[in-house]
Amino acid sequence: MPPVVRIEHLTKHYFLESVTVRALCDVSLTVEQGEFVALMGPSGSGKSTLLNLLGCLDRPTDGTYILGDDDISHMDDDRLSEVRSRYLGFIFQSYNLLPQYTVVENIEVPLLYQGCRITEKTRQRCIQLAELVGLGERLDHRPMQLSGGQQQRVAIARALVNDPHVILADEPTGNLDSRTSEEIMQMLIRLNEAGKTIIMVTHENDIAAWAKRVIRMRDGQIETDDRNTEPRIVQDVSSAFVSALNSLLSEAIQ
Amino acid sequence: MKTSLQRYLLLWDTSRRSFVLALRSLWLHKLRSFLSVLGIIIGTVSVIMLMSFGEGSMRDALDDIKRQGATNVIVTSTKPPDDASSGRRVMILNYGLTYEDYEQLLLLDTIVGSVPMRMFRQEIRNLHRMHNGRVVGTTAAYENVNRIELVDGRFLNDSDEADEPGDDNEMRNVCVLGADVAEALFPFQSAVGQTIVLNKHHFVVVGVLKERSPLTNAGGVADDYNSDVYIPLRTCRGRYGERIFIRQSGSRTGEQVELHQITLTISDMEKVRDAGEFARAVLKRRHGFKKDWTVTVPLDRLEEAKRAKARYMMLLAVIAGISLVVGGIGIMNIMLATVTERTREIGIRRALGAKRWDITQQFLIEAIVQTTVGGTLGTLFGVSLVFLFPWLLALFRVTLPAQLNVESIFLSMGASLSVGVFFGLYPAFRASRLDPIEALRHD
């Protein structure tokens, strides 16, 4: 099976008025299907730049990025948008839900831009996803009416709705207390158990300890790339959740 | 590959979603949206009201002219300007149309009707009751040419043959009263059969006219027909002579005018202008340099009024354009503020796969929805004002002619729609050009 993400000699320079900021220098990285990668590093190490490039929100100055079967490095803005809507799922630190939409409507958004019509069937799927992340009771609530943990679970459901190749999580627990963080991480682990590839940026060792692979960055380069031999595991990987998720995603609408 | 039908359905779907979203955010910021579309509302209200009142007064003016008769040529005597160089005080002014002029004018073969008239101000009395009115000496033809309607009795009658009996031929002392005169002199009884006194002469009332709306005459002064008393022309000549004396603040001036006005009815609208030219030529020849006559062709005024209407509508279009542009700037301003305020939302949407066009379309539709809602409110408001305003003014006895101009509704709705497109385009474009990463970081 080919790797999901393959980047080679990726470089990103920012050109500010007179200075050139070398945010990323010649980074190469391969992520296989089903991996759970934690990107770590101090601020300014280039981890956010790398995540933006992986998320197709930005284009590299140099190097190649192959996501699935597609070479992303030279795509125009519209094609990149299409890639984001089809193959990527985003989870942000500040949840980033649309305040005027309800829970279900928020989950639907990626489908909207994928160019598929919102039908009763897709609506049903979004409701099932909301139930899967434990928000079955709050389908018609707006983000303002939800707690941080609940909002992040909506964001997770939204990241799953298009059955992405990769889920990119930017400090998903950064705004949450430790108990809620634990819940969210357990949910991510379950997604990973169900076969989802996750790349997560964090600066907390506790959180990184859940991941199977930890990449540390410094000054725009990869410093270490370790397999986590004893990742924290979820005690009760409920097979019901995994199979429910799998069956949901297998009937994904493309 | 998608079929074109699917593509069409998809476009319909996304537009509808943007539309619903726009309505939602409009509802979320009710006051702000209202204020931002206020310019559009005022613009459409003023367009509809101005156009409707313009249409109404123009229709009134046209009606006026039509009542004067589109096939008529009106010849009037006008007082020549005072000859200051002579320095001589003239006690009796002698000017105007003569009976001979009248006969000469009648030589034109396209004339199918003619009314000679003498008019002067006079006190009208019945016992102790008095009304300041105007005596009009005329013939029976006046009735048809001016489309007179009577409430009681008959109009002056007479016959073409000089020896046949008739009011005029027999110089009868009979009169027909205008509505106000009848009301003033005979408030509690029917005027017909009663007697009135004009300058010591007694006249028997034979008819009373229906109330007539005033008509703007050639001089631009509105004639009040309701204070008129109509008597046979020959009687007028016989009783008054050719000289008429007017007492005015102690001094007495007199004038000698044979005929004050001659109305000629022409057989065909096509021939009215030629008839007017003919009348001018005849009078020029007969009066020489003495410019004591005017020839008015109402048909010319009709054309003039139509041109005036076109100019007026142009002016209104310019005003409407300006107010809508001002309204549009308001929309643009608020849309730019909205884009800044919702930068994060734009970032989220872009990250989740929205193309630039999706963002453009979303904000454009929002602007269009705003201006269209504004335009609709303005239209409803404007239309109700068009009906309400004349009614309110009528309470204060002011008449305001209003005629709902249907074009103005389409015009203002169309204009507010295009203002939305035009002024929404730039903010929408700005929104679509935002860098997703920057936008996501925005708070």
Side-chain angles (χ1 to χ4, degrees), chain B residues 203-248:
Chain B
F203 287 79
V204 176
V205 179
V206 294
V208 175
L209 299 189
K210 204 176 157 185
E211 194 151 339
R212 288 171 74 186
S213 51
L215 203 84
T216 315
N217 68 9
V221 190
D223 284 333
D224 182 12
Y225 293 109
N226 297 316
S227 288
D228 282 352
V229 172
Y230 302 91
I231 59 175
L233 187 60
R234 277 179 202 229
T235 314
C236 184
R237 263 175 102 180
R239 301 294 171 208
Y240 287 91
E242 304 301 350
R243 292 179 180 182
I244 295 150
F245 292 96
I246 301 163
R247 271 184 222 103
Q248 208 169 30

Side-chain angles (χ1 to χ4, degrees), chain B residues 122-365:
Chain B
Q122 180 85 62
E123 281 175 3
I124 306 155
R125 291 174 179 278
N126 167 251
L127 300 179
H128 61 280
R129 291 208 171 85
M130 194 263 281
H131 189 76
N132 255 318
R134 190 173 70 160
V135 173
V136 179
T138 187
T139 60
Y142 186 94
E143 184 179 7
N144 288 327
V145 168
N146 290 288
R147 299 189 194 100
I148 294 297
E149 286 176 90
L150 290 136
V151 286
D152 204 1
R154 60 168 176 89
F155 198 73
L156 304 173
N157 66 20
D158 90 88
S159 164
D160 288 340
E161 302 301 323
D163 50 349
E164 291 277 309
D167 293 335
D168 206 37
N169 291 340
E170 295 182 1
M171 284 179 60
R172 288 177 187 158
N173 274 8
V174 291
C175 67
V176 176
L177 303 185
D180 286 356
V181 183
E183 175 65 27
L185 298 187
F186 305 102
F188 307 117
Q189 64 196 111
S190 166
V192 174
Q194 305 290 327
T195 308
I196 61 161
V197 178
L198 295 172
N199 196 22
K200 294 175 215 141
H201 303 290
H202 288 70
F203 287 79
V204 176
V205 179
V206 294
V208 175
L209 299 189
K210 204 176 157 185
E211 194 151 339
R212 288 171 74 186
S213 51
L215 203 84
T216 315
N217 68 9
V221 190
D223 284 333
D224 182 12
Y225 293 109
N226 297 316
S227 288
D228 282 352
V229 172
Y230 302 91
I231 59 175
L233 187 60
R234 277 179 202 229
T235 314
C236 184
R237 263 175 102 180
R239 301 294 171 208
Y240 287 91
E242 304 301 350
R243 292 179 180 182
I244 295 150
F245 292 96
I246 301 163
R247 271 184 222 103
Q248 208 169 30
S249 56
S251 72
R252 260 163 67 104
T253 54
E255 56 175 30
Q256 181 173 335
V257 180
E258 291 187 8
L259 287 172
H260 285 87
Q261 184 177 325
I262 299 166
T263 306
L264 302 172
T265 305
I266 310 303
S267 60
D268 199 334
M269 264 217 299
E270 313 276 281
K271 294 169 183 159
V272 172
R273 288 224 174 76
D274 287 342
E277 285 309 309
F278 171 79
R280 281 189 191 105
V282 167
L283 293 171
K284 204 170 220 166
R285 179 164 52 77
R286 292 181 52 79
H287 289 243
F289 289 111
K290 202 169 169 193
K291 185 70 176 122
D292 56 357
W293 51 271
T294 347
V295 174
T296 315
V297 182
L299 194 66
D300 284 341
R301 289 182 56 209
L302 193 74
E303 304 279 302
E304 206 175 285
K306 278 179 183 160
R307 274 198 300 276
K309 180 183 174 174
R311 273 198 300 274
Y312 182 71
M313 287 296 168
M314 275 278 282
L315 187 74
L316 283 184
V318 170
I319 293 172
I322 291 172
S323 60
L324 284 170
V325 164
V326 171
I329 291 169
I331 292 291
M332 184 148 148
N333 192 15
I334 209 73
M335 284 311 293
L336 284 173
T338 304
V339 168
T340 309
E341 189 184 80
R342 283 160 62 182
T343 299
R344 200 189 182 91
E345 179 190 327
I346 295 165
I348 297 168
R349 288 178 184 274
R350 294 283 276 129
L352 299 181
K355 297 186 178 70
R356 281 187 173 144
W357 167 243
D358 293 315
I359 302 293
T360 311
Q361 180 241 37
Q362 183 192 331
F363 282 90
L364 194 58
I365 286 184

Side-chain angles (χ1 to χ4, degrees), chain A residues 52 57-58 77-78 81 84-85 90 94 96 98 100-101 105 108-109 112-113 115 117-118 142 158, chain B residues 2 9-10 13 17 21 24 342 344-345 348-356 358 362 436-437 440:
Chain A
N52 285 339
L57 291 167
D58 209 349
D77 195 85
D78 276 1
S81 299
R84 288 198 293 273
S85 74
F90 286 91
S94 46
N96 278 345
L98 296 177
Q100 66 270 53
Y101 283 168
E105 286 167 333
E108 269 173 2
V109 172
L112 222 70
Y113 294 124
R117 302 194 64 215
I118 302 301
R142 308 217 178 241
R158 181 177 69 180
Chain B
K2 275 182 252 177
L9 283 175
L10 195 66
D13 232 45
R17 285 193 151 254
L21 187 69
R24 252 198 233 180
R342 283 160 62 182
R344 200 189 182 91
E345 179 190 327
I348 297 168
R349 288 178 184 274
R350 294 283 276 129
L352 299 181
K355 297 186 178 70
R356 281 187 173 144
D358 293 315
Q362 183 192 331
I437 300 168
L440 272 172

Side-chain angles (χ1 to χ4, degrees), chain B residues 3-20:
Chain B
T3 67
S4 59
L5 176 70
Q6 275 174 316
R7 220 170 276 208
Y8 172 77
L9 283 175
L10 195 66
L11 188 70
W12 162 244
D13 232 45
T14 50
S15 318
R16 206 197 51 205
R17 285 193 151 254
S18 300
F19 184 75
V20 171

